[in-house]
């Protein structure tokens, strides 16, 4: 969904990858085991979070990211058996679009560096780092933090803890 992506080992020479078509199957997109699903959802959530805090943040990206964050949060707050899987998938797509519109920031720079240099798992790295980076971002932009806190149903001072709860 975004205009940039990390290629698999051996294909690093290409720097821009964008699919011509995306088939989004909510059942398939949300079929991972619960721990992996929540880690992957934190990567999606991070896309939406960064869309609120980057220098290129814009009103459209803000609206779309907050809607995506709300969909992800509401889906993850439900038990797996009754979860609205289409909401989780759509929230992920919205957050990816928002980040593509506003660019990525410190969270993704840190996580992508860790993944590349340490060989850590992509989704789990995002899940582990987001509570820390989100608290740092919130201190730098209180207004964006308030909007994010509303979407996550948390207090601005509790964003990191709320993300830990959502990540499982």
């Amino acid at each position: 969904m975004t205009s940039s992506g990390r290629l698999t080992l051996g294909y690093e020479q290409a720097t821009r990858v964008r699919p011509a078509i995306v088939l989004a199957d909510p059942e398939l997109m949300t079929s991972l085991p619960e721990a992996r699903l929540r880690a992957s959802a934190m990567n999606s959530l991070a896309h939406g979070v960064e869309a609120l805090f980057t220098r290129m943040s814009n009103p459209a990206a803000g609206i779309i990211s907050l809607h995506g964050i709300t969909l992800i949060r509401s889906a993850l707050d439900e038990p797996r058996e009754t979860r609205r899987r289409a909401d989780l998938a759509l929230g992920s797509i919205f957050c990816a679009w928002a980040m593509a519109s506003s660019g990525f920031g410190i969270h993704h720079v840190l996580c992508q560096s860790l993944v590349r240099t340490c060989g850590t798992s992509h989704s789990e790295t995002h899940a582990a780092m987001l509570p820390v980076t989100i608290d740092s971002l919130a201190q730098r932009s209180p207004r964006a933090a308030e909007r994010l806190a509303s979407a996550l149903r948390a207090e601005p001072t509790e964003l990191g803890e709320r993300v830990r709860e959502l990540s499982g």
Side-chain angles (χ1 to χ4, degrees), residues 2-148:
T2 62
S3 61
S4 63
R6 192 169 60 85
L7 298 175
T8 58
L9 194 59
Y11 294 93
E12 296 88 357
Q13 69 278 4
T15 58
R16 292 280 189 203
V17 177
R18 188 168 193 141
I21 188 169
V22 175
L23 301 175
D25 178 344
E27 294 297 315
L28 184 59
M29 290 174 70
T30 60
S31 64
L32 290 169
E34 188 68 7
R36 297 269 316 173
L37 176 74
R38 285 183 179 268
S40 181
M42 292 305 100
N43 181 39
S44 296
L45 192 70
H47 293 158
V49 167
E50 286 205 315
L52 298 171
F53 290 94
T54 67
R55 288 184 182 195
M56 293 178 16
S57 184
N58 59 76
I63 291 167
I64 295 294
S65 69
L66 288 169
H67 188 57
I69 290 165
T70 299
L71 289 170
I72 292 169
R73 186 258 319 141
S74 65
L76 292 178
D77 276 342
E78 295 294 320
R80 186 175 180 99
E81 304 76 38
T82 58
R83 181 176 295 147
R84 293 175 306 281
R85 295 169 75 166
D87 285 358
L88 184 57
L90 185 59
S92 178
I93 290 169
F94 283 171
C95 286
W97 183 92
M99 190 180 89
S101 171
S102 60
F104 59 88
I106 191 67
H107 172 82
H108 274 80
V109 170
L110 288 171
C111 289
Q112 296 298 352
S113 296
L114 286 170
V115 168
R116 267 190 231 109
T117 59
C118 299
T120 59
S121 169
H122 183 125
S123 296
E124 283 79 0
T125 301
H126 282 277
M129 292 297 296
L130 188 57
V132 177
T133 58
I134 204 169
D135 283 342
S136 177
L137 290 169
Q139 291 175 17
R140 298 188 71 197
S141 181
R143 176 66 186 123
E146 288 174 13
R147 296 169 67 205
L148 176 59

